[in-house]
Each structure stands twice: as C-alpha cells, then as structure tokens.
Amino acid sequence: QVQLVESGGGLVQPGGSLRLSCAASGSIFSIYTMGWHRQAPGKEREFVALIRWNDDDIYYADSVKGRFTISRDSTDNAVSLHMDSLKPDDTAVYYCKLEHRTARSTVDDYWGQGTQVTVSS
C-alpha cells in the first residue's frame, strides 16, 4: 500500500498565493506520475497538474497554466503545487494523486484525503 499525506491549503483572497504539498510513503516500487486533481462543489473531479517521474515532463490543465507550478522532491517522493493569482473559481478540494507502477508493470492509482482551498474576499 502507498499512503499520501497532503498539507497546505486554506483561505486566501483573490490574487493571493498558496502552496500545497504531498508526500508519499509505504510500499513504493516505482512512481509513474504524481500530481493534483480538484473537485469543486457540485462538479466532477478534474485534472490540475502532474509530473511524470522518469523524465520530469509536466502537464497542466489549461485553466491553471501560467498561474500554478508543480515541482517534485524525488528524494522524499513528494510533490508540491504552488498556486499564484488565485481566483474564486479555483475554490475546491485539492487531491494528490500518485500513479504507482508495480513490479508486474501494472499501474495503480492512489489518492490523498484532500485539502480545502477557498479563494474569497
């Protein structure tokens, strides 16, 4: 099993910044990707950003490009999401996601418990 522990989040005014962190632990064979999704009230969970571990390729949702920055700490199997120029539409529960490559070359998904980000004046 792989465990994900998230930290950060909270209440911020429009235009402000926040940083989310996610650390993975447990029986990790190989990380394929780590990243973030979010879910706003009444909406489906949506992709935000991810890093592919073997080549550091990074992908962002169009809605956050230029405002959010994802980074990794490979030593600690951790990933962070730095969010700038936050908008009320960014209000959501943010979930860390890890795609774990097993010894059998299958990929299992693991999710964090979620952390609330609220952008409001």
Side-chain angles (χ1 to χ4, degrees):
Q1 284 291 327
V2 175
Q3 294 80 41
L4 300 175
V5 177
E6 299 154 342
S7 60
L11 174 64
V12 65
Q13 292 186 344
S17 299
L18 278 176
R19 181 183 179 90
L20 307 181
S21 297
C22 175
S25 63
S27 300
I28 298 173
F29 178 75
S30 175
I31 296 175
Y32 180 46
T33 70
M34 282 189 76
W36 298 88
H37 283 61
R38 67 186 182 186
Q39 187 166 19
K43 295 186 178 181
E44 294 187 352
R45 192 173 297 189
E46 64 176 7
F47 167 76
V48 175
L50 69 79
I51 295 180
R52 194 162 57 195
W53 231 240
N54 67 336
D55 57 11
D56 287 339
D57 269 0
I58 290 176
Y59 300 88
Y60 294 102
D62 287 343
S63 58
V64 306
K65 279 181 183 176
R67 300 187 299 120
F68 290 12
T69 303
I70 190 170
S71 60
R72 61 179 277 187
D73 181 343
S74 57
T75 303
D76 292 334
N77 288 332
V79 65
S80 296
L81 184 69
H82 189 84
M83 305 182 290
D84 289 324
S85 303
L86 282 161
K87 307 173 183 179
D89 283 350
D90 295 318
T91 296
V93 177
Y94 283 70
Y95 295 91
C96 179
K97 179 183 178 183
L98 184 150
E99 291 185 292
H100 179 248
R101 192 190 304 275
T102 72
R104 294 173 289 114
S105 296
T106 59
V107 177
D108 298 326
D109 293 344
Y110 292 92
W111 294 89
Q113 78 282 3
T115 184
Q116 178 70 45
V117 171
T118 302
V119 184
S120 175
S121 55

PDB file of all heavy atoms in Angstrom, residues 28-32 54 98-108:
ATOM      1  N   ILE A  28       6.462   1.554  -1.987  1.00  0.00           N
ATOM      2  CA  ILE A  28       6.583   2.180  -3.294  1.00  0.00           C
ATOM      3  C   ILE A  28       7.600   1.417  -4.123  1.00  0.00           C
ATOM      4  O   ILE A  28       8.779   1.363  -3.765  1.00  0.00           O
ATOM      5  CB  ILE A  28       6.995   3.652  -3.167  1.00  0.00           C
ATOM      6  CG1 ILE A  28       5.928   4.437  -2.403  1.00  0.00           C
ATOM      7  CG2 ILE A  28       7.221   4.265  -4.547  1.00  0.00           C
ATOM      8  CD1 ILE A  28       6.325   5.865  -2.085  1.00  0.00           C
ATOM      9  N   PHE A  29       7.153   0.844  -5.235  1.00  0.00           N
ATOM     10  CA  PHE A  29       8.076   0.168  -6.145  1.00  0.00           C
ATOM     11  C   PHE A  29       8.646   1.178  -7.138  1.00  0.00           C
ATOM     12  O   PHE A  29       9.841   1.313  -7.293  1.00  0.00           O
ATOM     13  CB  PHE A  29       7.372  -0.973  -6.871  1.00  0.00           C
ATOM     14  CG  PHE A  29       8.245  -1.693  -7.859  1.00  0.00           C
ATOM     15  CD1 PHE A  29       9.219  -2.580  -7.408  1.00  0.00           C
ATOM     16  CD2 PHE A  29       8.129  -1.475  -9.224  1.00  0.00           C
ATOM     17  CE1 PHE A  29      10.052  -3.237  -8.303  1.00  0.00           C
ATOM     18  CE2 PHE A  29       8.955  -2.123 -10.127  1.00  0.00           C
ATOM     19  CZ  PHE A  29       9.919  -3.006  -9.664  1.00  0.00           C
ATOM     20  N   SER A  30       7.742   1.896  -7.804  1.00  0.00           N
ATOM     21  CA  SER A  30       8.182   2.891  -8.777  1.00  0.00           C
ATOM     22  C   SER A  30       7.048   3.885  -9.002  1.00  0.00           C
ATOM     23  O   SER A  30       5.900   3.493  -9.202  1.00  0.00           O
ATOM     24  CB  SER A  30       8.553   2.225 -10.103  1.00  0.00           C
ATOM     25  OG  SER A  30       8.876   3.185 -11.092  1.00  0.00           O
ATOM     26  N   ILE A  31       7.379   5.162  -8.966  1.00  0.00           N
ATOM     27  CA  ILE A  31       6.372   6.198  -9.227  1.00  0.00           C
ATOM     28  C   ILE A  31       6.327   6.478 -10.718  1.00  0.00           C
ATOM     29  O   ILE A  31       7.361   6.753 -11.342  1.00  0.00           O
ATOM     30  CB  ILE A  31       6.684   7.473  -8.451  1.00  0.00           C
ATOM     31  CG1 ILE A  31       6.594   7.227  -6.946  1.00  0.00           C
ATOM     32  CG2 ILE A  31       5.728   8.595  -8.860  1.00  0.00           C
ATOM     33  CD1 ILE A  31       7.008   8.411  -6.094  1.00  0.00           C
ATOM     34  N   TYR A  32       5.132   6.421 -11.283  1.00  0.00           N
ATOM     35  CA  TYR A  32       4.952   6.782 -12.697  1.00  0.00           C
ATOM     36  C   TYR A  32       4.674   8.277 -12.803  1.00  0.00           C
ATOM     37  O   TYR A  32       5.363   8.982 -13.530  1.00  0.00           O
ATOM     38  CB  TYR A  32       3.821   5.974 -13.300  1.00  0.00           C
ATOM     39  CG  TYR A  32       3.564   6.269 -14.754  1.00  0.00           C
ATOM     40  CD1 TYR A  32       4.598   6.348 -15.674  1.00  0.00           C
ATOM     41  CD2 TYR A  32       2.265   6.473 -15.226  1.00  0.00           C
ATOM     42  CE1 TYR A  32       4.370   6.624 -17.011  1.00  0.00           C
ATOM     43  CE2 TYR A  32       2.018   6.752 -16.550  1.00  0.00           C
ATOM     44  CZ  TYR A  32       3.073   6.827 -17.439  1.00  0.00           C
ATOM     45  OH  TYR A  32       2.838   7.107 -18.760  1.00  0.00           O
ATOM     46  N   ASN A  54       9.847   9.703 -14.588  1.00  0.00           N
ATOM     47  CA  ASN A  54      11.065   9.218 -15.253  1.00  0.00           C
ATOM     48  C   ASN A  54      11.740  10.268 -16.121  1.00  0.00           C
ATOM     49  O   ASN A  54      12.952  10.177 -16.378  1.00  0.00           O
ATOM     50  CB  ASN A  54      10.762   7.963 -16.082  1.00  0.00           C
ATOM     51  CG  ASN A  54       9.860   8.261 -17.269  1.00  0.00           C
ATOM     52  OD1 ASN A  54       9.117   9.226 -17.256  1.00  0.00           O
ATOM     53  ND2 ASN A  54       9.919   7.410 -18.275  1.00  0.00           N
ATOM     54  N   LEU A  98      -1.193   9.728  -7.053  1.00  0.00           N
ATOM     55  CA  LEU A  98       0.040   9.048  -7.426  1.00  0.00           C
ATOM     56  C   LEU A  98      -0.310   7.853  -8.301  1.00  0.00           C
ATOM     57  O   LEU A  98      -1.165   7.043  -7.931  1.00  0.00           O
ATOM     58  CB  LEU A  98       0.796   8.583  -6.175  1.00  0.00           C
ATOM     59  CG  LEU A  98       2.166   7.920  -6.379  1.00  0.00           C
ATOM     60  CD1 LEU A  98       3.060   8.191  -5.170  1.00  0.00           C
ATOM     61  CD2 LEU A  98       2.045   6.426  -6.610  1.00  0.00           C
ATOM     62  N   GLU A  99       0.333   7.767  -9.446  1.00  0.00           N
ATOM     63  CA  GLU A  99       0.210   6.582 -10.297  1.00  0.00           C
ATOM     64  C   GLU A  99       1.439   5.719 -10.019  1.00  0.00           C
ATOM     65  O   GLU A  99       2.580   6.122 -10.299  1.00  0.00           O
ATOM     66  CB  GLU A  99       0.145   6.977 -11.764  1.00  0.00           C
ATOM     67  CG  GLU A  99      -1.137   7.697 -12.140  1.00  0.00           C
ATOM     68  CD  GLU A  99      -1.219   7.963 -13.634  1.00  0.00           C
ATOM     69  OE1 GLU A  99      -0.425   8.789 -14.138  1.00  0.00           O
ATOM     70  OE2 GLU A  99      -2.057   7.337 -14.308  1.00  0.00           O
ATOM     71  N   HIS A 100       1.179   4.541  -9.467  1.00  0.00           N
ATOM     72  CA  HIS A 100       2.243   3.668  -8.986  1.00  0.00           C
ATOM     73  C   HIS A 100       2.448   2.514  -9.947  1.00  0.00           C
ATOM     74  O   HIS A 100       1.511   1.771 -10.244  1.00  0.00           O
ATOM     75  CB  HIS A 100       1.863   3.142  -7.596  1.00  0.00           C
ATOM     76  CG  HIS A 100       2.865   2.213  -7.016  1.00  0.00           C
ATOM     77  ND1 HIS A 100       2.610   0.870  -6.827  1.00  0.00           N
ATOM     78  CD2 HIS A 100       4.127   2.437  -6.580  1.00  0.00           C
ATOM     79  CE1 HIS A 100       3.681   0.311  -6.300  1.00  0.00           C
ATOM     80  NE2 HIS A 100       4.605   1.237  -6.128  1.00  0.00           N
ATOM     81  N   ARG A 101       3.658   2.386 -10.433  1.00  0.00           N
ATOM     82  CA  ARG A 101       3.977   1.278 -11.323  1.00  0.00           C
ATOM     83  C   ARG A 101       4.460   0.110 -10.460  1.00  0.00           C
ATOM     84  O   ARG A 101       5.414   0.246  -9.694  1.00  0.00           O
ATOM     85  CB  ARG A 101       5.057   1.673 -12.318  1.00  0.00           C
ATOM     86  CG  ARG A 101       5.214   0.666 -13.445  1.00  0.00           C
ATOM     87  CD  ARG A 101       6.453   0.972 -14.268  1.00  0.00           C
ATOM     88  NE  ARG A 101       6.486   2.320 -14.801  1.00  0.00           N
ATOM     89  CZ  ARG A 101       5.906   2.678 -15.928  1.00  0.00           C
ATOM     90  NH1 ARG A 101       5.216   1.817 -16.631  1.00  0.00           N
ATOM     91  NH2 ARG A 101       6.017   3.934 -16.360  1.00  0.00           N
ATOM     92  N   THR A 102       3.808  -1.026 -10.607  1.00  0.00           N
ATOM     93  CA  THR A 102       4.153  -2.201  -9.792  1.00  0.00           C
ATOM     94  C   THR A 102       5.257  -3.018 -10.464  1.00  0.00           C
ATOM     95  O   THR A 102       5.627  -2.769 -11.608  1.00  0.00           O
ATOM     96  CB  THR A 102       2.926  -3.088  -9.577  1.00  0.00           C
ATOM     97  OG1 THR A 102       2.622  -3.748 -10.822  1.00  0.00           O
ATOM     98  CG2 THR A 102       1.712  -2.291  -9.134  1.00  0.00           C
ATOM     99  N   ALA A 103       5.725  -4.040  -9.738  1.00  0.00           N
ATOM    100  CA  ALA A 103       6.746  -4.932 -10.279  1.00  0.00           C
ATOM    101  C   ALA A 103       6.228  -5.715 -11.484  1.00  0.00           C
ATOM    102  O   ALA A 103       7.014  -6.190 -12.301  1.00  0.00           O
ATOM    103  CB  ALA A 103       7.228  -5.874  -9.191  1.00  0.00           C
ATOM    104  N   ARG A 104       4.916  -5.827 -11.591  1.00  0.00           N
ATOM    105  CA  ARG A 104       4.313  -6.538 -12.724  1.00  0.00           C
ATOM    106  C   ARG A 104       3.993  -5.577 -13.874  1.00  0.00           C
ATOM    107  O   ARG A 104       3.300  -5.945 -14.818  1.00  0.00           O
ATOM    108  CB  ARG A 104       3.030  -7.247 -12.261  1.00  0.00           C
ATOM    109  CG  ARG A 104       3.285  -8.365 -11.260  1.00  0.00           C
ATOM    110  CD  ARG A 104       1.981  -8.933 -10.687  1.00  0.00           C
ATOM    111  NE  ARG A 104       1.333  -8.000  -9.779  1.00  0.00           N
ATOM    112  CZ  ARG A 104       0.158  -7.431 -10.023  1.00  0.00           C
ATOM    113  NH1 ARG A 104      -0.499  -7.713 -11.131  1.00  0.00           N
ATOM    114  NH2 ARG A 104      -0.370  -6.614  -9.141  1.00  0.00           N
ATOM    115  N   SER A 105       4.478  -4.339 -13.745  1.00  0.00           N
ATOM    116  CA  SER A 105       4.292  -3.305 -14.784  1.00  0.00           C
ATOM    117  C   SER A 105       2.855  -2.859 -14.946  1.00  0.00           C
ATOM    118  O   SER A 105       2.491  -2.319 -15.991  1.00  0.00           O
ATOM    119  CB  SER A 105       4.847  -3.785 -16.142  1.00  0.00           C
ATOM    120  OG  SER A 105       6.242  -3.971 -16.060  1.00  0.00           O
ATOM    121  N   THR A 106       2.041  -3.125 -13.940  1.00  0.00           N
ATOM    122  CA  THR A 106       0.709  -2.520 -13.930  1.00  0.00           C
ATOM    123  C   THR A 106       0.791  -1.187 -13.203  1.00  0.00           C
ATOM    124  O   THR A 106       1.790  -0.895 -12.542  1.00  0.00           O
ATOM    125  CB  THR A 106      -0.308  -3.427 -13.229  1.00  0.00           C
ATOM    126  OG1 THR A 106       0.132  -3.657 -11.882  1.00  0.00           O
ATOM    127  CG2 THR A 106      -0.431  -4.757 -13.954  1.00  0.00           C
ATOM    128  N   VAL A 107      -0.245  -0.393 -13.333  1.00  0.00           N
ATOM    129  CA  VAL A 107      -0.260   0.927 -12.688  1.00  0.00           C
ATOM    130  C   VAL A 107      -1.478   1.029 -11.778  1.00  0.00           C
ATOM    131  O   VAL A 107      -2.608   0.803 -12.222  1.00  0.00           O
ATOM    132  CB  VAL A 107      -0.288   2.055 -13.728  1.00  0.00           C
ATOM    133  CG1 VAL A 107      -0.386   3.423 -13.041  1.00  0.00           C
ATOM    134  CG2 VAL A 107       0.965   2.009 -14.603  1.00  0.00           C
ATOM    135  N   ASP A 108      -1.234   1.331 -10.520  1.00  0.00           N
ATOM    136  CA  ASP A 108      -2.310   1.529  -9.544  1.00  0.00           C
ATOM    137  C   ASP A 108      -2.384   3.000  -9.180  1.00  0.00           C
ATOM    138  O   ASP A 108      -1.351   3.668  -9.052  1.00  0.00           O
ATOM    139  CB  ASP A 108      -2.045   0.720  -8.277  1.00  0.00           C
ATOM    140  CG  ASP A 108      -1.990  -0.774  -8.542  1.00  0.00           C
ATOM    141  OD1 ASP A 108      -2.728  -1.250  -9.426  1.00  0.00           O
ATOM    142  OD2 ASP A 108      -1.196  -1.465  -7.863  1.00  0.00           O
TER     143      ASP A 108
END
